[in-house]
Amino acid sequence: MDLGSLLDINTVLVAIVVILLICLVSRSLQWPANIPPGPPGYPLLGNLLLLRQGNILDTFRNLRKQHGDVFSVKVGPSLTVVFNGIDTLKEAFIKRADEFSDRPYSYISDKVFEGKGILSSSGEHWKLTRTFFLKTLREFGFGGRSLESRVKEETASFLDSIEQHNGCPFDIKPLTALAVSNVTCSIAFGNRSEYTDARFKRLTSLCAENVRLTVESGAVRNLPGARYLPGDMFNIKKLISNYNDIKECIDEQINEHRTKFDEDNQRDFIDAFLTEQNKRGKDEQIFEDINLSAIIMNLCLAGTSTTTGTFLWAILYLLHNKNIQDKLRKEIESVVGTSRFPSLADKRALPYNEAFMTEVHRMANFAPFSVPRGATKDIQFRGMTIPSGSVILVSLDSVMNDPNIFENPDTFNPERYLGQDGQLNGKERNVIPFSLGPRTCLGESLARLELFTLMTSLLQRFEFLPEVPDQLPSLEPIPRLARAPKDFKCRIVKIK
């Protein structure tokens, strides 16, 4: 390539950069004067440098002290508004839910799924899809006995696999992810898979990688111009490729279902969707194949990572609190015995186990800002203007770690939820790991069922011990927006 060609390329690149900078500056100048208060930032970068310093939770907690329950931070050309405190959250996301239930634009979701599904969609499409999703899952026993039987079946396989380790140290994370994912896949695809099944392992692996890549590519949500940079420094191209691979796996299942479809014998969610599709036609708003693919992807991704992460946190707290572990097991033995699995019918009689999992949810704080909301138009709130296009964060952390609600919030203490009669005292209602309002996690009842069944069944039969005696694994999370625990090994020894 000659010198003239190189100069031409450089001129084009400089022009692109200048245009992007002009767009960034002009966007910020359009914000009204009464946006929520926040820290001063740098031109173009906004508060990016501040947000990259230390722990994001500590940063946001300090900003709340300085600027109040509703504050804003500038991330490149985007404005992010953070809502804090139980009263503020209820006012915005329950009382004014219609204004605060949309999602922000996602380039990656739009690229792969055209903004369809449940997790990323907004407006009428989201409402219709959500209604169909909930109705169908209820018909297939979501939250009922038939779903419990699926979870128990998976729990039996899970325990058998654990027992094969013969009390030797191992990393339980991959096995847990397979078990949790299997329940979700059985709802979507009609049957569970063996943990050695190649197609199932590939889908689970892709979903796990997708979660990691989503965190790494976060810059593209606030700096959309980043996707035009040479190479793939934010893993944007890799993430899109990964999404397409997941979609390919799901579409393969949909095509198989279509070839064996029998309207009088609906086996799973895909069959239920195809039934409605045949009645209404693919052109109707929510009954397109791409919407079905997106819904199943939401099920596979959203449920597996959060439930797996919370389960791992529960094991860590058991390792760190042997006295709590013993007390939990004693309650299970007194109510259930050892001859059968615990069931949902036992849950009310196991208040200490319920208090334990509630405290795990609070302390684990796995998704401290839930899933972002988006302002699709200017919103007036408490005398402030939240501009159209703003990203809205729901700080669940501001409730679950509020010292005015939970005394000594940094201390792990299941007893805080129990009254003098040993029953739940109502404080558990302030633990909101699944968010609140219409956008609360649709898989909440499934996640709670899985966590209850897996944890009580394990405690009933096994003891949790650290990999090395007197050397406990870290309780420090991986420093990301999702508070995943660091990798660890432990010994799970069968009780004789």
Side-chain angles (χ1 to χ4, degrees), residues 253-265:
Q253 287 277 1
I254 294 172
N255 291 333
E256 287 181 10
H257 274 65
R258 188 169 271 124
T259 60
K260 301 175 182 178
F261 177 69
D262 178 1
E263 186 173 328
D264 296 325
N265 181 29

Side-chain angles (χ1 to χ4, degrees), residues 325-346:
Q325 183 179 159
D326 293 340
K327 189 171 181 179
L328 291 164
R329 188 175 296 109
K330 184 177 179 180
E331 183 184 61
I332 294 167
E333 289 174 353
S334 67
V335 174
V336 182
T338 58
S339 61
R340 64 175 178 85
F341 282 133
S343 68
L344 275 179
D346 301 312

Side-chain angles (χ1 to χ4, degrees), residues 167-350:
C168 296
F170 75 107
D171 179 3
I172 194 175
K173 180 179 178 179
L175 182 60
T176 304
L178 289 171
V180 173
S181 181
N182 225 349
V183 175
T184 304
C185 288
S186 73
I187 294 169
F189 306 140
N191 57 276
R192 71 175 301 276
S193 302
E194 294 300 322
Y195 295 154
T196 54
D197 181 89
R199 185 163 68 170
F200 173 61
K201 289 180 71 174
R202 179 170 183 264
L203 177 60
T204 306
S205 175
L206 284 168
C207 288
E209 185 182 21
N210 184 281
V211 173
R212 177 183 63 81
L213 289 170
T214 297
V215 174
E216 294 179 1
S217 66
V220 74
R221 287 190 293 272
N222 295 309
L223 295 171
R227 64 179 181 266
Y228 299 113
L229 294 173
D232 194 23
M233 61 187 300
F234 294 108
N235 281 322
I236 299 164
K237 295 174 184 175
K238 174 61 179 171
L239 181 59
I240 291 174
S241 173
N242 196 67
Y243 264 112
N244 282 321
D245 287 342
I246 293 173
K247 184 175 180 295
E248 183 180 307
C249 290
I250 294 171
D251 287 346
E252 186 177 307
Q253 287 277 1
I254 294 172
N255 291 333
E256 287 181 10
H257 274 65
R258 188 169 271 124
T259 60
K260 301 175 182 178
F261 177 69
D262 178 1
E263 186 173 328
D264 296 325
N265 181 29
Q266 293 184 32
R267 301 158 293 175
D268 46 45
F269 185 85
I270 292 179
D271 279 352
F273 191 98
L274 294 179
T275 297
E276 289 300 314
Q277 189 183 74
N278 289 341
K279 290 178 181 177
R280 307 185 189 207
K282 292 183 182 181
D283 294 334
E284 185 155 333
Q285 187 174 6
I286 67 169
F287 293 103
E288 308 165 278
D289 279 4
I290 195 167
N291 198 35
L292 175 57
S293 300
I295 294 169
I296 295 174
M297 189 275 295
N298 294 158
L299 269 172
C300 293
L301 284 178
T304 301
S305 62
T306 53
T307 303
T308 299
T310 303
F311 183 82
L312 296 175
W313 277 116
I315 293 178
L316 282 171
Y317 286 117
L318 291 174
L319 293 172
H320 278 258
N321 297 276
K322 183 66 165 58
N323 60 321
I324 292 177
Q325 183 179 159
D326 293 340
K327 189 171 181 179
L328 291 164
R329 188 175 296 109
K330 184 177 179 180
E331 183 184 61
I332 294 167
E333 289 174 353
S334 67
V335 174
V336 182
T338 58
S339 61
R340 64 175 178 85
F341 282 133
S343 68
L344 275 179
D346 301 312
K347 195 172 184 180
R348 289 178 63 86
L350 297 169

Side-chain angles (χ1 to χ4, degrees), residues 15-159:
I16 291 173
V17 170
V18 170
I19 292 170
L20 287 173
L21 292 178
I22 292 172
C23 291
L24 293 178
V25 173
S26 62
R27 171 72 182 276
S28 63
L29 291 176
Q30 293 172 7
W31 292 332
N34 64 331
I35 62 172
Y42 294 97
L44 304 180
L45 293 178
N47 303 119
L48 266 178
L49 299 181
L50 172 66
L51 299 179
R52 294 185 66 84
Q53 294 175 6
N55 186 318
I56 189 69
L57 281 181
D58 290 338
T59 300
F60 277 14
R61 289 171 186 172
N62 289 331
L63 289 174
R64 181 191 181 189
K65 291 176 184 177
Q66 297 170 37
H67 302 289
D69 284 346
V70 182
F71 64 84
S72 65
V73 289
K74 303 172 183 69
V75 188
S78 301
L79 189 72
T80 295
V81 181
V82 186
F83 283 68
N84 299 267
I86 187 65
D87 293 337
T88 304
L89 267 55
K90 287 181 177 179
E91 180 182 349
F93 305 110
I94 295 179
K95 294 179 181 178
R96 298 178 59 179
D98 286 345
E99 298 172 87
F100 288 96
S101 290
D102 288 326
R103 292 288 190 221
Y105 171 77
S106 167
Y107 165 75
I108 294 170
S109 173
D110 190 63
K111 183 80 173 175
V112 181
F113 291 105
E114 300 175 14
K116 301 294 173 60
I118 297 176
L119 203 61
S120 299
S121 63
S122 297
E124 191 66 15
H125 184 276
W126 165 69
K127 291 178 182 177
L128 292 171
T129 301
R130 178 179 181 271
T131 299
F132 172 77
F133 178 85
L134 289 174
K135 172 180 173 292
T136 303
L137 291 187
R138 277 195 297 269
E139 290 172 354
F140 281 97
F142 205 59
R145 296 297 176 191
S146 61
L147 182 59
E148 184 180 8
S149 65
R150 295 186 190 215
V151 175
K152 283 185 175 180
E153 178 187 11
E154 197 58 48
T155 299
S157 297
F158 183 61
L159 298 185

Side-chain angles (χ1 to χ4, degrees), residues 355-409:
F356 167 74
M357 279 311 307
T358 301
E359 186 70 341
V360 169
H361 280 300
R362 190 189 70 80
M363 288 286 289
N365 201 12
F366 190 84
F369 303 106
S370 188
V371 181
R373 315 285 177 99
T376 55
K377 60 182 180 181
D378 287 359
I379 302 174
Q380 303 302 317
F381 188 83
R382 295 183 179 178
M384 297 170 283
T385 299
I386 300 167
S388 174
S390 298
V391 175
I392 297 170
L393 294 185
V394 187
S395 179
L396 307 180
D397 172 74
S398 69
V399 178
M400 298 196 293
N401 282 283
D402 187 342
N404 295 316
I405 301 175
F406 302 105
E407 186 178 357
N408 300 319

